[in-house]
Amino acid sequence: MARNIQSLERAAAMLRLLAGGERRLGLSDIASSLSLAKGTAHGILRTLQQEGFVEQDAASGRYQLGAELLRLGTTYLDVHELRARALVWTDDLARASGESVYLGVLHQQGVLIVHHVFRPDDSRQVLEIGAMQPLHSTALGKVLAAHDPVAHSEALENDRKAFTDRTVCDLGDFEHLLDLTRARGYAADVEETWTGVASVAAPIHDRRRMPVGAVGITGAVERVCRDGELRPELIAAVRDCARAVSRDLGAGRF
């Protein structure tokens, strides 16, 4: 069984202590509450302060939670707000399209699935919330890479693995694909990631008109495509869903 890292446990305990009770605490109070030597407590506080997780009041010398911790917490809440705003619209999209619906956000070097609506039939399906998808080959990933500068950099800098013989791996071709995605407002994945599977996705924006995620449908090629092309009505339904969620997030009309 792996051993816990004591310094991280102490840092976590310190953050919990600062999050509760008084707004600011002195070094002696923190050390006493956590049964730590003052030198040890000061070293941890100094590290947390350097990372922005803790701030020290110049006048009193007391410590409080820092802005970086607030930023991380806001990011967590934003993902949950995105999911909450999308619940009704993604359910509607699944009913209208007859396919599975996925809501994804950028996470590290891929797409994190934060919401999944099953295809509305009696088939056996597996919930994929928490799953990761690649940026360069999936419809969700290409939408994020086309609209989010951070996702774009991640997609360019990391290995673009060929999952099928249709995966676009060449840098120039991939950039052209992102230009096309931006121009038409949606991304496609027709057997680029999984043989026999096709997807279409569109971007979701927040009140600042910044890309915060993507929504898309995924299904068998024979259902999602017609004559080798994505069915126009499915593209329209996905884009309508993305616009609706964006409006609920305060983005206005797109």
Side-chain angles (χ1 to χ4, degrees), residues 33-97:
S33 297
L34 300 178
S35 301
L36 296 174
K38 280 189 179 181
T40 300
H42 185 256
I44 295 172
L45 284 166
R46 187 173 61 248
T47 302
L48 290 172
Q49 186 177 359
Q50 289 171 350
E51 296 298 325
F53 296 137
V54 164
E55 295 174 356
Q56 186 178 28
D57 180 65
S60 67
R62 289 174 171 264
Y63 296 90
Q64 65 182 26
L65 295 179
E68 180 64 14
L69 199 64
L70 177 62
R71 186 190 69 80
L72 292 177
T74 301
T75 301
Y76 176 79
L77 291 174
D78 283 348
V79 169
H80 284 265
E81 182 185 4
L82 171 62
R83 184 177 180 276
R85 298 287 185 179
L87 287 176
V88 172
W89 299 112
T90 51
D91 282 348
D92 288 347
L93 178 58
R95 283 193 294 269
S97 66

Side-chain angles (χ1 to χ4, degrees), residues 117-131:
V117 183
F118 283 165
R119 185 171 64 254
D121 60 20
D122 295 328
S123 63
R124 184 176 180 180
Q125 300 173 62
V126 177
L127 189 66
E128 295 187 46
I129 293 175

Side-chain angles (χ1 to χ4, degrees), residues 107-199:
H107 180 67
Q108 297 177 351
Q109 292 85 40
V111 183
L112 174 67
I113 303 302
V114 296
H115 185 52
H116 174 199
V117 183
F118 283 165
R119 185 171 64 254
D121 60 20
D122 295 328
S123 63
R124 184 176 180 180
Q125 300 173 62
V126 177
L127 189 66
E128 295 187 46
I129 293 175
M132 292 290 293
Q133 293 187 2
L135 281 171
H136 70 285
S137 62
T138 62
L140 292 172
K142 282 184 277 188
V143 160
L144 293 174
H147 292 88
D148 184 332
V150 177
H152 181 254
S153 296
E154 294 286 359
L156 296 189
E157 293 171 5
N158 288 284
D159 179 43
R160 290 177 297 281
K161 176 182 176 182
F163 296 105
T164 73
D165 58 6
R166 302 189 62 160
T167 308
V168 177
C169 301
D170 176 77
L171 179 59
D173 292 341
F174 183 67
E175 286 279 37
H176 174 72
L177 195 56
L178 297 186
D179 288 340
L180 180 61
T181 297
R182 282 186 285 268
R184 62 189 184 184
Y186 70 90
D189 168 9
V190 181
E191 297 190 284
E192 293 178 46
T193 311
W194 302 283
T195 301
V197 176
S199 304

Side-chain angles (χ1 to χ4, degrees), residues 183-246:
R184 62 189 184 184
Y186 70 90
D189 168 9
V190 181
E191 297 190 284
E192 293 178 46
T193 311
W194 302 283
T195 301
V197 176
S199 304
V200 56
I204 296 172
H205 297 81
D206 65 7
R207 61 185 60 86
R208 300 163 298 169
R209 300 215 165 191
M210 296 294 291
V212 292
V215 63
I217 62 170
T218 297
V221 171
E222 58 267 23
R223 296 195 306 267
V224 178
C225 297
R226 181 186 301 127
D227 299 325
E229 300 291 334
L230 291 169
R231 290 166 52 194
E233 65 270 25
L234 294 182
I235 296 172
V238 169
R239 296 191 67 193
D240 286 347
C241 178
R243 282 192 288 261
V245 178
S246 297

